[in-house]
Amino acid sequence: MPLTKLSKDLHREWDNLVDRLRWGHDKPIDVANYIGFGRPDFLYLTGRVLRDRGIARNERDQLWHNIVNNFKRFNSREINDAKVEITWGGHVFERTTDSEGYFYVEHACDPDEAPKLDDELWQEATVRVVETPLDGKVNYVSHSDVVLPREAEFGIISDIDDTILKTDVTSRFKLKAMMHTLLKNASNRRAFEGVSDFYKALQGGPDAAGFNPFFYVSNSPWNLYDLLLDFLHLNHLPRGPIMLRDFGLPAEDTVVSYKTHKADMVDKILSTYPHLPFILLGDSGEADTDIYLEAARNNPERILCIYIRDVQHELRAQRIEDLIEDISDINVKLVGSYEEAAAHARMEGWIQ
């Protein structure tokens, strides 16, 4: 039995046991609001209704606190069949959470009823939980940020693991990746040298206005969303939607599922902004290059550049070099550092 299926089956059985024993049902409602994105005539937004997990985060957390918090992240108490109302400008979307507590909005909108555009990049949607099977009628209100670029010169799609965040997904059996996930918090995870300066320069663009949107795609599970958002903040990386996957540890994935999830997310972002060019960033550790090259072929002349960070693995680097050797119509750079990438982007006129 594949490890991913086994883990999901075990998680489901555990959830059934917890439900029968009514553990955690006395905890207050919480909503995991994930950053969405859209246009005045389209909204993509997802979130999750949960019981409050009581995760207390501190940069100086000890190892035991990290283990406990990460256990809570993966042992989330989702609320299924909750009634949710999402308000976006003049639109109200009614949704019911699925068996894992998720709700989704992917909907074309009347642009005349879009939110008042008071910012060049950020807007806000209101999320209201109105009823749950256990609590009955409730009125839990929260808010989700939504990226709605108006003055962007280009967009940026970035991988996370071993692109900005040292994860060691290329380690034997991915054991180091699992240890990072289980034992560390956002403050003691390491960002690569120079990545913050380069990403902020890309967000600013050639005029340093700062309106170029960032989108992060990762094979990590949604359970780690808050940790990854904290990581972006602590390392001064541009804030943006983080597109993750359903339950599972990073080490559990096959190449096929990895490629399918990331390719779908990249395609969704590109199709949402059909007139916006993009820069794509990944690493040579997994299938980023394959995914990005396919995206470039499907969107001719829209991909300004693909930057692939070399993870210093000879065989993987050689595979990337072989992939791009005969490509003349797609701008692909295998870079050893973000200073090298920044020098190239500056020469091209994409950053100041």
Side-chain angles (χ1 to χ4, degrees):
M1 178 184 293
L3 185 56
T4 302
K5 184 178 186 306
L6 176 61
S7 67
K8 288 185 176 181
D9 288 345
L10 290 173
H11 187 252
R12 190 175 298 109
E13 290 301 319
W14 172 257
D15 281 350
N16 290 337
L17 173 63
V18 169
D19 285 340
R20 288 195 298 271
L21 297 175
R22 300 180 68 83
W23 290 344
H25 282 207
D26 58 333
K27 296 184 180 297
I29 294 170
D30 189 24
V31 176
N33 286 312
Y34 308 136
I35 297 173
F37 59 91
R39 309 181 303 260
D41 62 345
F42 175 80
L43 174 64
Y44 180 88
L45 184 68
T46 185
R48 199 178 190 192
V49 181
L50 307 160
R51 295 292 172 186
D52 190 337
R53 295 168 293 179
I55 296 176
R57 302 191 296 276
N58 189 298
E59 292 184 28
R60 298 180 180 178
D61 281 344
Q62 300 300 312
L63 175 63
W64 174 245
H65 295 122
N66 295 337
I67 294 173
V68 170
N69 281 338
N70 286 325
F71 173 78
K72 289 178 179 178
R73 288 186 174 99
F74 284 97
N75 191 38
S76 56
R77 300 299 311 130
E78 57 273 0
I79 303 177
N80 61 302
D81 293 326
K83 307 297 183 184
V84 182
E85 291 181 353
I86 300 96
T87 303
W88 165 251
H91 301 276
V92 178
F93 304 99
E94 297 181 349
R95 296 291 186 267
T96 301
T97 58
D98 65 15
S99 61
E100 295 294 326
Y102 294 102
F103 61 86
Y104 303 89
V105 176
E106 187 173 358
H107 202 279
C109 307
D110 182 346
D112 292 334
E113 296 188 18
K116 179 183 178 182
L117 303 180
D118 54 1
D119 189 273
E120 300 294 343
L121 187 57
W122 293 99
Q123 302 300 321
E124 188 177 81
T126 299
V127 178
R128 184 188 306 272
V129 181
V130 298
E131 185 178 349
T132 77
L134 183 66
D135 304 279
K137 299 290 184 181
V138 296
N139 186 32
Y140 182 89
V141 179
S142 60
H143 302 276
S144 290
D145 290 329
V146 179
V147 168
L148 193 72
R150 299 170 60 199
E151 300 295 333
E153 293 159 301
F154 53 84
I156 305 98
I157 299 175
S158 172
D159 177 48
I160 293 178
D161 301 329
D162 279 341
T163 298
I164 62 174
L165 169 67
K166 182 174 176 56
T167 311
D168 292 313
V169 293
T170 60
S171 62
R172 189 172 180 82
F173 304 122
K174 299 188 178 181
L175 292 178
K176 289 185 179 180
M178 292 185 69
M179 291 301 99
H180 288 314
T181 300
L182 296 174
L183 303 181
K184 294 187 176 183
N185 63 14
S187 65
N188 50 36
R189 299 296 298 269
R190 186 165 70 84
F192 290 101
E193 184 178 355
V195 66
S196 174
D197 289 341
F198 180 46
Y199 276 37
K200 286 191 291 186
L202 288 174
Q203 185 181 48
D207 57 3
F211 299 136
N212 293 333
F214 261 80
F215 304 85
Y216 298 93
V217 292
S218 172
N219 209 32
S220 293
W222 283 111
N223 307 67
L224 296 178
Y225 182 88
D226 66 312
L227 186 147
L228 294 175
L229 198 62
D230 286 347
F231 173 83
L232 295 181
H233 173 72
L234 290 170
N235 289 279
H236 311 290
L237 288 155
R239 197 164 180 266
I242 304 174
M243 313 302 292
L244 305 177
R245 302 197 324 138
D246 198 0
F247 177 82
L249 291 172
E252 295 174 341
D253 298 291
T254 64
V255 172
V256 173
S257 66
Y258 178 92
K259 291 176 67 174
T260 300
H261 162 69
K262 295 188 73 173
D264 288 348
M265 291 300 100
V266 170
D267 181 66
K268 191 180 298 292
I269 295 164
L270 292 174
S271 63
T272 299
Y273 306 102
H275 305 298
L276 191 65
F278 273 82
I279 290 174
L280 312 181
L281 300 114
D283 63 85
S284 61
E286 295 285 351
D288 292 347
T289 310
D290 309 70
I291 295 166
Y292 289 164
L293 286 175
E294 184 66 20
R297 295 186 186 101
N298 293 337
N299 297 271
E301 300 182 3
R302 287 191 60 201
I303 306 304
L304 299 177
C305 189
I306 299 172
Y307 290 108
I308 300 296
R309 192 190 74 81
D310 187 357
V311 299
Q312 305 301 317
H313 188 290
E314 184 176 351
L315 292 179
R316 293 174 190 263
Q318 185 60 54
R319 190 183 81 84
I320 303 306
E321 290 173 354
D322 292 342
L323 273 176
I324 65 179
E325 182 177 3
D326 298 322
I327 296 174
S328 58
D329 58 334
I330 303 174
N331 195 3
V332 189
K333 300 295 179 184
L334 181 65
V335 296
S337 69
Y338 284 109
E339 288 78 7
E340 180 183 342
H344 176 265
R346 192 174 296 109
M347 181 182 66
E348 295 285 350
W350 299 325
I351 65 176
Q352 194 174 75

